[in-house]
Structure formats: structure tokens, C-alpha cells
Amino acid sequence: MKKLNLFDKLNAASLLLVSPEWPKVKAAQKRAQSFENPVVNIPLEIRTIAGRKIRLAEAGPVDAPTVVLLSPFPASILNFAGSWESLTANFRVIAIDLPGFGGSEGDRHDMTPSAQGNHLAAIFDALELNDIHLVAPDVGMASALSYVLDHEHRLASMVIGHSIGNPNPVELGFMIGMLAKFGFMRATSALLGAGPLIAYSAKIGAVRHQASAVEIDDYKRAYAGRAPEVIHWFKDFYAKSEAIAARLSEIQIPTLVFWGELDVLFDVSNAERIHAALPNSKLHILPEAGHFSWADQPQMFASMIESWVVNEHKQIDISA
């Protein structure tokens, strides 16, 4: 089983020392009750879709509403372990590692929201999914927004959070801002490999959740040797955000914007701006939760999704 090694931890510790947000997160962690995700049976499989090997998992009653979960970075769909059993008890759940992320095949050409939107269109077509409630945090958020904007979508609603796509100013934490602004920072991160990024994000991105050994093993295996490719996601980050933000008024489907109140990688003010810009949205802030809010508050997250899918998305009047 792969673990975070001394190199990963030392580099992560160095990054934490220069991250001005770290004392705030560390203090919140001391006040919180920490836990590890349970080890649950997430039935991972690989399917070839549109020429790509895509890792996904499917569970839950086939006649229930369809909820699709998109993976975060530098984690994978295993990051949803805390809410997996609750969600699959009520919905047909399909969790997908986006191309180039997690256990799915991909390269630097996939590292734009528009490319990911194209992949989502192909994946949903191949799986013959309709009336999807798309849950898309982190890298999934920009991907989902691009999918809706550029394709005849198959969605009933969308749940997004913790990424780019809102009108300026986009408030980014120290590390994300450095990756977005400076090519040398992306090159250095690519050279160091994914291990330090995994270790750093696990520390600064979570308040209550501690990644289990199973999760860390999966993330390390998933991103081994792939950091130079996946780091391209942060190139032209602000321009990518602006391109999406300029078209938010075109999105008419019911959208739930959710965020952790203690996200220091993508400040919660970003949530407020994207909520204000979307015509048919609702805002939900999860307490005592950081960037990985779905992992920090798994039961709150599952309850939020259940309320949204069963009832709340229907209450948004898209004809107004």
C-alpha cells in the first residue's frame, strides 16, 4: 500500500509554513472532532468511453433519481466514501473520475474546462444518462459549467462548489494563486510530483476529515508520474474562470452552489458571487468544513443532496 513518504510530508510542511491561511485552518482543526472516512465498498470499474479508459463506480436502485458525482483533485471518487452509503440508499449514484484525474486516463490536453465539458458530453451519451443531478465540486465545477454552456445537456439540476467560474475577483489561497500566476511554480510542482500536493491539500483543505490509508494509497497510485500533465489545469487559471463567468447568465437550470465556510483554497466569497450571477440558484454553506467540505461533513452533504434532488430543485422557478 502506498503512503505519504517523508519527501511528501517535508515538502508539504514547507508549503504550509509559507501559506498565510494555515494558522486559521490549524486552529479550526484543533477545535473540531476529527475522523477518517470509513472503508466502504465503492465498486470501481474501468470502461472505455470515446477512446478513453474512464474509472467510475455505480450503485443504488436503478429506478431512483440519477446522481452523478465528479472527482476532486488531487483526490478521486474515493473522497466521497463518507457519504457513499447514504447517497446510494436513496439514489442511483454514478461517480466518475474525470479524464486525467483520479483513476481515469488523460493528459495535459484534457486540462481545460472546455475539454472536460466535451468529455462529460461523451460520457453521458455513452452511458445513456438523462435527467442527471450533477454534483461537481473542485475541478468538476468548471467542467460542469462548461458542459452546460457548450452542449445540449442531459441535466435536471446541478450542484457545484469550490472552484473557478465566478465573476471577478476570484479569491484564491496562496498555493492555488501561485500555481495560477507563475509558470515556475507549476514547473516546480510538476518536478516534485503529486505526493506533496496530496499531503498539502489533505492538511489545508480539510477541517474534520483525515484521509484514510485506502484513500491515500488510491491518490498516490492515481497520480504517480502524472503531475507534469495534471498541473496544466492551473495554466491560464484566471482566463479560464473569466471565460465561464462571462456566460453564467445563460445557465437556466436549477443550481445549488455549496461551499465550506472554512475553505481557504477558494474563499467562500467566490460562492456568493457565483450564486449572485446565476439566474436560478440557491446557496448552501456547510459549517466547520474546509475545501473538501463533502468529506468534512459527509452526513450534512448527503442530506443536502437528498433535499435538493427530492424537493428543493423543483421549487426554483426557471420561468421567472
Side-chain angles (χ1 to χ4, degrees), residues 1-9 194-196 198-199 211-221 224:
M1 181 170 282
K2 289 185 177 291
K3 301 178 181 180
L4 293 173
N5 58 38
L6 184 60
F7 175 83
D8 299 332
K9 293 177 181 179
I198 294 169
S212 68
V214 172
E215 288 179 84
I216 294 297
D217 174 67
D218 185 69
Y219 308 159
K220 288 274 286 187
R221 291 179 187 276

Side-chain angles (χ1 to χ4, degrees), residues 33 61 65 140 182 189 216 240 295:
Q33 183 175 356
F182 302 112
S189 296
I216 294 297
K240 291 171 181 174

Side-chain angles (χ1 to χ4, degrees), residues 68 116-125 128-134 143-159 247-255 278 280 313 318:
V68 172
Q116 292 292 344
N118 293 339
H119 284 306
L120 285 176
I123 291 168
F124 296 160
D125 288 350
E128 297 182 340
L129 301 179
N130 289 294
D131 298 322
I132 303 163
H133 298 279
L134 181 59
S143 306
L145 291 169
S146 289
Y147 166 68
V148 171
L149 287 167
D150 295 336
H151 299 272
E152 287 196 20
H153 65 79
R154 294 170 172 258
L155 305 189
S157 77
M158 183 166 54
V159 181
R247 300 179 61 194
L248 288 180
S249 62
E250 300 174 30
I251 298 176
Q252 298 299 315
I253 63 171
T255 302
L278 286 166
N280 299 300
H313 85 278
I318 62 174

Side-chain angles (χ1 to χ4, degrees), residues 72-139:
F73 171 75
S76 73
I77 53 179
L78 292 194
N79 206 216
F80 295 109
S83 55
W84 183 257
E85 291 185 337
S86 294
L87 290 174
T88 56
N90 297 296
F91 307 114
R92 177 194 182 193
V93 178
I94 302 172
I96 301 170
D97 277 333
L98 290 164
F101 296 100
S104 290
E105 185 179 62
D107 56 32
R108 68 184 60 194
H109 301 294
D110 300 314
M111 295 301 134
T112 66
S114 59
Q116 292 292 344
N118 293 339
H119 284 306
L120 285 176
I123 291 168
F124 296 160
D125 288 350
L127 298 179
E128 297 182 340
L129 301 179
N130 289 294
D131 298 322
I132 303 163
H133 298 279
L134 181 59
V135 181
D138 196 69
V139 292

